[in-house]
Amino acid sequence: MKERIILLNSLVKQGILTIDDVMNPLGLEKKMKTILDGIHPYKITEPKESNKDQRWCTYVKDPTKSGGRRKVFGQTYSELFTYLINFYGLVNESDLTFGELYYRYIEHEKLYVLGVRNAKKAKSSSTITRHIRDYNKNIKGTVLDGTKLSNITKGLVESVLVEVIDKRHLKEIYASNLFGCIRGALTYAYTENLISTNVGALLDRDLILAHAIPPEVKQDEERVFNKEQITILYKTIRAQIKANPTYLPNYGILLALFTGMRVGEIAALKWSDIDDFNIHIDHSEHRVDFTSHEEAIEQYDNL
């Protein structure tokens, strides 16, 4: 909602919208469509009630794709419209705030997930979801969030991060990931010529993490199963298989226990990956979903 208000204010200042447009919801929707009609060649599709994916979608030109275009999404029409306005450069770039930049950066990061062929170079959708969650929980509403890109300095970013880490008592792993999100967005702004200096590369990571709670050092016996625990797990799974032999996840647990394979690697396993002596792990299955994984994210928050 805040991003939409900032966008509308910017469009009013530039004369693209009037105050009357903003105050009249029906008029605003009509005016938004009118703005895009002249520059956006693709249809904007509303989600059907029967669809599992309830996002609005359309295409934008992308010469790096085989078809010359890529699909983009928005949770609402207004969110998709906001993206398209930014994509076509209708907002004065010098007026972009860091919060608006971060939204654009996240959309760029999704290109590493949607339609990728080389899994080794791809990113996990759960990582991008975490980036969104981290920003909304820690940076949104701070001085940095509303600062124009032209006014962002190394000192400003570091002071905000240190304040957030101190206030929220963040552990090192969480603080490190938050730092990476902010640095990534600033580096993206620099490569897109939105800022003249790569502020992200100048940030002092050690200074920022010095304010985080250090990780607890766990002994090996706390980090891995001992023989007794492995035996108990094995016997329990074997008993469950005997009671319910058609429940496949139990076999997956055994395979993980005996080989050390991860869940995604087991899910992607094919008969062609197995020969007389070896299991060849050449690929892994990942779920593409930028809106779920809430339980996993909550666990990450509590690390």
Side-chain angles (χ1 to χ4, degrees), residues 10 102 172:
S10 180
Y102 196 80
E172 184 177 322

Side-chain angles (χ1 to χ4, degrees), residues 268-280:
L269 195 63
K270 302 177 181 178
W271 284 114
S272 57
D273 298 325
I274 304 172
D275 58 31
D276 293 337
F277 303 100
N278 301 293
I279 297 175
H280 301 274

Side-chain angles (χ1 to χ4, degrees), residues 163-188:
E163 181 181 357
V164 167
I165 292 170
D166 284 339
K167 182 179 180 180
R168 300 185 66 86
H169 306 291
L170 300 185
K171 294 185 178 181
E172 184 177 322
I173 185 174
Y174 194 111
S176 178
N177 281 291
L178 181 61
F179 170 82
C181 297
I182 302 305
R183 181 175 59 182
L186 290 169
T187 300
Y188 168 75

Side-chain angles (χ1 to χ4, degrees), residues 26-226:
L26 294 179
L28 177 60
E29 293 289 315
K30 184 177 180 180
K31 189 66 176 284
M32 289 161 70
K33 292 178 181 177
T34 301
I35 293 171
L36 291 178
D37 282 344
I39 57 175
H40 185 61
Y42 302 107
K43 180 182 177 181
I44 296 177
T45 304
E46 180 179 2
K48 297 180 179 179
E49 292 184 4
S50 57
N51 290 352
K52 183 177 180 180
D53 190 343
Q54 284 296 298
R55 293 177 296 176
W56 291 69
C57 65
T58 187
Y59 291 91
V60 294
K61 292 181 178 179
D62 188 341
T64 66
K65 302 298 182 183
S66 58
R69 65 178 187 173
R70 61 181 167 86
K71 206 169 189 178
V72 294
F73 300 89
Q75 296 297 331
T76 63
Y77 176 78
S78 296
E79 182 178 309
L80 185 58
F81 172 81
T82 300
Y83 173 81
L84 293 173
I85 286 294
N86 286 324
F87 178 82
Y88 290 113
L90 295 181
V91 176
N92 188 345
E93 302 282 50
S94 63
D95 288 336
L96 276 179
T97 65
F98 183 78
E100 293 169 318
L101 163 74
Y102 196 80
Y103 174 80
R104 185 184 296 191
Y105 166 67
I106 290 298
E107 290 301 312
H108 171 74
E109 289 293 279
K110 290 179 181 179
L111 295 179
Y112 287 92
V113 177
L114 300 172
V116 298
R117 295 184 177 89
N118 188 347
K120 293 182 179 179
K121 299 296 183 180
K123 295 184 179 181
S124 168
S125 61
S126 59
T127 298
I128 297 176
T129 302
R130 190 180 68 234
H131 286 178
I132 298 171
R133 175 68 171 258
D134 286 353
Y135 188 89
N136 290 338
K137 190 171 183 178
N138 298 288
I139 306 300
K140 205 170 195 59
T142 64
V143 173
L144 177 61
D145 182 48
T147 299
K148 293 182 180 180
L149 296 184
S150 56
N151 295 329
I152 288 180
T153 64
K154 172 180 180 289
L156 172 65
V157 178
E158 288 177 347
S159 64
V160 169
L161 285 174
V162 166
E163 181 181 357
V164 167
I165 292 170
D166 284 339
K167 182 179 180 180
R168 300 185 66 86
H169 306 291
L170 300 185
K171 294 185 178 181
E172 184 177 322
I173 185 174
Y174 194 111
S176 178
N177 281 291
L178 181 61
F179 170 82
C181 297
I182 302 305
R183 181 175 59 182
L186 290 169
T187 300
Y188 168 75
Y190 175 70
T191 59
E192 292 293 306
N193 296 316
L194 299 175
I195 53 179
S196 58
T197 302
N198 188 356
V199 179
L202 300 176
L203 298 177
D204 190 334
R205 184 173 183 271
D206 288 341
L207 167 66
I208 292 167
L209 295 188
H211 289 260
I213 299 174
E216 297 179 11
V217 179
K218 292 185 178 181
Q219 301 298 320
D220 287 345
E221 55 267 23
E222 297 179 288
R223 298 175 57 250
V224 298
F225 285 162
N226 56 38

